[in-house]
Amino acid sequence: MAFFVAPDGCRIHYETFGDQGPRVMLIPGLGGDGRFWGGVVDELLGTFRLTVVDHRGAGRSDRPEGGYSIARISADCAAIAALQGEAVHIVGHSTGGAIAQTLALDHPGIGSSFTISSSWARADERFRSLFIARAELLEGGLPEAYQRLTHIFGHEASYLDDHKDRFEAAVRAATTALAPLNVTADRVRMLLDHDRLDDLRRIDRPVHVITADADILTPPALSQAIADAIPGSHMTKLTGAHFHPKDRPRQFTESIRLFIEKVST
């Protein structure tokens, strides 16, 4: 466990795992907690040296008031990547995928390749309405409802059935886990400002775009738009809902292994 102190004094939590293989940075989605990647870390240990980041405002990082943006979190991640002393393979899911896009465009030297999983490059009206509504739940003091909807949007029905007790516990813990609610709401609203679709053609590093067939939070069409915009990108379509790296880590890690092996040779 380690902390990087950003120029504004915010402490960004990150962890490293493994002592052999190419370096990979795993950047989580909107929840911002690197523990999202637990199953993926277990699968990749022994093959890669991993760095797992918590966003500012989430997980075990500090939660300052205000100043949240994809660009700022990307700068945090770029600084942590630079500490590794060599280029890393960037893997970002959902909001982490928006961060991966920004890293590839604004900090390209830190990345050997960039994997953009179940993400978006420009919010359409459905996306905007959905995330405005999620922010309004937090601003209205309804963290339990926000958490329930996160489960519905993120997981397949069968997975929810199989893990009902765990999800109910998460709902009960939501008031504490999502505090301060105004900070979490600010992090939700920052997604609406992310628009790099017209810039993506400038990316000149290997890019892997991943989507999942049952993703209703960032539907496959949003990932397809990213893949179409990046010359030479490789696209993989997996099975599952939005949180497929957490729910189906083996298929996700296999796709990561294959892509990194391909670009490394």
Side-chain angles (χ1 to χ4, degrees):
M1 181 181 298
F3 288 91
F4 166 75
V5 181
D8 66 342
C10 182
R11 298 183 312 148
I12 312 299
H13 175 270
Y14 69 97
E15 291 183 280
T16 57
F17 304 89
D19 57 7
Q20 59 184 341
R23 290 192 181 276
V24 176
M25 173 176 278
L26 299 172
I27 306 173
L30 179 59
D33 192 320
R35 286 169 288 198
F36 171 86
W37 294 109
V40 170
V41 169
D42 289 344
E43 292 284 341
L44 292 180
L45 273 179
T47 306
F48 299 107
R49 290 172 290 167
L50 305 171
T51 301
V52 182
V53 180
D54 289 0
H55 299 187
R56 64 168 57 223
R60 292 148 290 180
S61 296
D62 289 346
R63 305 187 181 197
E65 297 282 337
Y68 290 97
S69 69
I70 297 295
R72 194 166 200 177
I73 297 174
S74 299
D76 295 336
C77 292
I80 294 170
L83 297 175
Q84 311 309 309
E86 60 186 285
V88 301
H89 297 277
I90 300 293
V91 177
H93 178 71
S94 192
T95 300
I99 294 166
Q101 295 166 47
T102 304
L103 289 171
L105 289 164
D106 299 345
H107 309 273
I110 61 99
S112 299
S113 71
F114 296 86
T115 292
I116 302 166
S117 170
S118 296
S119 193
W120 78 103
R122 174 175 293 158
D124 58 16
E125 189 55 34
R126 178 189 178 279
F127 184 101
R128 294 187 64 82
S129 295
L130 172 57
F131 282 91
I132 288 170
R134 296 183 76 194
E136 288 173 344
L137 286 173
L138 295 165
E139 292 159 352
L142 297 170
E144 296 90 350
Y146 175 92
Q147 191 63 47
R148 285 193 189 280
L149 286 175
T150 297
H151 296 159
I152 292 167
F153 289 131
H155 300 282
E156 296 167 84
S158 59
Y159 193 89
L160 291 171
D161 288 339
D162 292 343
H163 300 85
K164 182 171 67 174
D165 291 345
R166 191 179 82 194
F167 288 132
E168 285 300 321
V171 169
R172 292 192 297 271
T175 299
T176 300
L178 298 172
L181 297 185
N182 64 309
V183 167
T184 305
D186 285 348
R187 284 175 41 77
V188 174
R189 288 191 178 276
M190 76 180 178
L191 308 189
L192 305 175
D193 297 327
H194 176 67
D195 184 350
R196 303 303 300 265
L197 185 62
D198 292 339
D199 301 327
L200 294 181
R201 66 182 183 276
R202 295 194 285 106
I203 296 176
D204 62 358
R205 296 291 198 277
V207 173
H208 184 197
V209 180
I210 298 177
T211 188
D213 59 0
D215 188 345
I216 61 173
L217 196 62
T218 53
L222 294 178
S223 291
Q224 186 66 58
I226 294 171
D228 291 344
I230 301 174
S233 64
H234 172 75
M235 188 163 185
T236 299
K237 297 182 179 181
L238 299 178
T239 299
H242 185 69
F243 291 149
H244 58 92
K246 183 178 181 66
D247 299 351
R248 298 170 178 262
R250 184 157 295 176
Q251 70 162 359
F252 185 83
T253 54
E254 183 61 20
S255 70
I256 297 300
R257 282 196 189 95
L258 289 172
F259 176 71
I260 292 178
E261 287 174 2
K262 178 181 177 180
V263 299
S264 296
T265 56

